[in-house]
Amino acid sequence: MSEKSEAIVGFIANLMPLYQGERYDGDWCARSLTDGTLILPVDESGDEEEEGWLRVRWQGDSSREQEVQGFLLASVALERYVRFHGTGFDEEALAGELGFMAEHFTFKTGCHVYLPQLPDPPSRLTKIARGALTMEQGVLVNVFSKVTGFG
């Protein structure tokens, strides 16, 4: 079995509670807990370079089977996982978590997810400047209130 393919399936299987790992025909696979789709590794051992292809049985139906590039399926799964766990967070926080999970996926699998619209995380200096501006707004409100007599 292909190491990349198995690594991608294993990663997706750990995206609880959206997926769950299980054994199927002797292979470790991931099962979608929302619709029963089964994600299986593909044997790429004869290929010159492993790309991490996956065999997907939509809603678990073997007659609706398709091979897909693992990084594409993982991209969708990661976005759903981060949105599920980030309910109530703003878009910047979600983007930060998605960036972290994308790096973790690369570390675990050697592949990169496809997230073309993901902004670069703000630098430490940017975060400090935003914090300072927020503090300054409070100070300005206090000064304005005292000067105008509304405070």
Side-chain angles (χ1 to χ4, degrees):
M1 204 50 60
S2 163
E3 285 184 35
K4 277 190 179 183
S5 182
E6 286 180 330
I8 294 169
V9 168
F11 188 90
I12 292 171
N14 286 318
L15 297 177
M16 296 287 287
L18 301 178
Y19 294 89
Q20 178 176 326
E22 67 179 63
R23 286 254 173 240
Y24 183 84
D25 285 342
D27 292 322
W28 186 248
C29 63
R31 170 94 54 191
S32 168
L33 297 179
T34 56
D35 66 4
T37 295
L38 189 63
I39 303 166
L40 299 136
V42 170
D43 188 2
E44 296 178 286
S45 57
D47 295 348
E48 192 172 302
E49 185 177 330
E50 291 183 17
E51 295 182 37
W53 284 84
L54 306 177
R55 193 170 65 236
V56 179
R57 291 186 178 168
W58 302 106
Q59 284 86 32
D61 184 356
S62 62
S63 68
R64 297 178 59 213
E65 188 173 284
Q66 172 183 3
E67 285 191 10
V68 299
Q69 289 182 298
F71 78 94
L72 293 174
L73 188 63
S75 300
V76 174
L78 274 179
E79 196 271 339
R80 286 182 183 159
Y81 175 81
V82 168
R83 290 212 174 267
F84 178 82
H85 284 278
T87 301
F89 291 113
D90 63 18
E91 286 298 315
E92 185 176 343
L94 292 173
E97 183 63 19
L98 190 54
F100 170 79
M101 290 299 292
E103 288 176 14
H104 187 59
F105 176 78
T106 300
F107 174 77
K108 289 289 198 176
T109 67
C111 300
H112 299 278
V113 291
Y114 180 71
L115 300 168
Q117 300 302 319
L118 184 64
D120 291 330
S123 69
R124 186 174 226 163
L125 184 60
T126 303
K127 288 180 182 179
I128 292 170
R130 284 185 190 159
L133 286 174
T134 302
M135 286 177 24
E136 283 182 19
Q137 289 173 356
V139 170
L140 286 174
V141 168
N142 287 340
V143 169
F144 181 75
S145 296
K146 288 183 182 190
V147 168
T148 59
F150 290 114

